[in-house]
Amino acid sequence: MSDNERYSMALDYATRKHEGQFRIGGKEYITHPVAVAEIVRKQGYNVDYQIAALFHDLLEDTDATEHDLLAHGGTPQIVEAVKTLTKNSGYVMHEYVSAIKRNEMAFVVKCADRLHNLRCAHCTSDDFKRHYIKETKEWYIDFSDEIKEAVHSLSQKVNG
């Protein structure tokens, strides 16, 4: 199967699984993993990273299983990255972030995920923005310069 076929299969699956879910601003939820995958693609990462981006919220926010991810274009490396990105009940933030830093694919996807969320947070309440800025500064600010820039931009909207 070609990379394009795998990506299309993964996109179709993620779209079905996120059907009926919406972002805070009202857009269909699938727009978020697609945007994260596009950020990853523009950064030069291969289709496996892009599929991990499409799948990054499936185990956490849908009834998808690890087996399902493998059956719809995933690989063991993709599944491991998605598992690493999944916040399970009772997770400890320090352990969660440390695990992400140890898995290159999870790290790349988390950077793109946080970046996209920061860029989209303009449509959220000021309280949400403040919380998201604080959490980003505490846990993710050293992930990339783009995250630093996006936090600064969002902070200016809150503190305007």
Side-chain angles (χ1 to χ4, degrees):
M1 183 180 311
S2 75
D3 285 350
N4 286 342
E5 290 169 328
R6 283 183 55 228
Y7 185 89
S8 291
M9 180 191 306
L11 176 58
D12 289 345
Y13 180 69
T15 300
R16 283 195 316 272
K17 296 312 282 184
H18 285 301
E19 189 173 347
Q21 297 176 340
F22 296 91
R23 302 272 289 162
I24 289 174
K27 289 185 178 181
E28 290 186 13
Y29 193 84
I30 191 61
T31 61
H32 171 62
V34 167
V36 174
E38 181 63 11
I39 291 168
V40 168
R41 186 192 66 76
K42 285 181 178 178
Q43 292 173 339
Y45 291 95
N46 70 29
V47 72
D48 283 355
Y49 284 72
Q50 295 167 45
I51 291 171
L54 290 176
F55 286 175
H56 80 273
D57 284 330
L58 287 176
L59 296 179
E60 186 173 325
D61 295 340
T62 76
D63 63 355
T65 67
E66 294 173 29
H67 176 76
D68 294 336
L69 303 186
L70 289 170
H72 292 91
T75 64
Q77 183 185 16
I78 291 169
V79 171
E80 188 59 36
V82 173
K83 285 171 44 179
T84 300
L85 292 164
T86 300
K87 291 178 180 170
N88 295 306
S89 177
Y91 77 97
V92 175
M93 191 66 157
H94 174 73
E95 293 170 5
Y96 172 72
V97 172
S98 293
I100 289 170
K101 288 180 177 181
R102 290 190 305 271
N103 181 309
E104 180 188 3
M105 185 180 287
F107 183 80
V108 167
V109 172
K110 187 61 178 183
C111 285
D113 173 43
R114 183 56 55 148
L115 183 60
H116 184 251
N117 283 335
L118 286 162
R119 289 175 176 169
C120 293
H122 62 84
C123 67
T124 64
S125 70
D126 283 351
D127 284 344
F128 181 89
K129 287 181 189 105
R130 282 186 202 93
H131 167 76
Y132 208 70
I133 289 165
K134 181 179 183 282
E135 181 181 79
T136 301
K137 286 180 175 179
E138 187 173 351
W139 296 104
Y140 304 109
I141 200 71
D142 65 336
F143 276 34
S144 77
D145 288 339
E146 287 179 300
I147 288 175
K148 289 175 187 169
E149 292 166 14
V151 165
H152 178 73
S153 177
L154 188 59
S155 295
Q156 289 192 314
K157 291 178 180 167
V158 174
N159 300 324

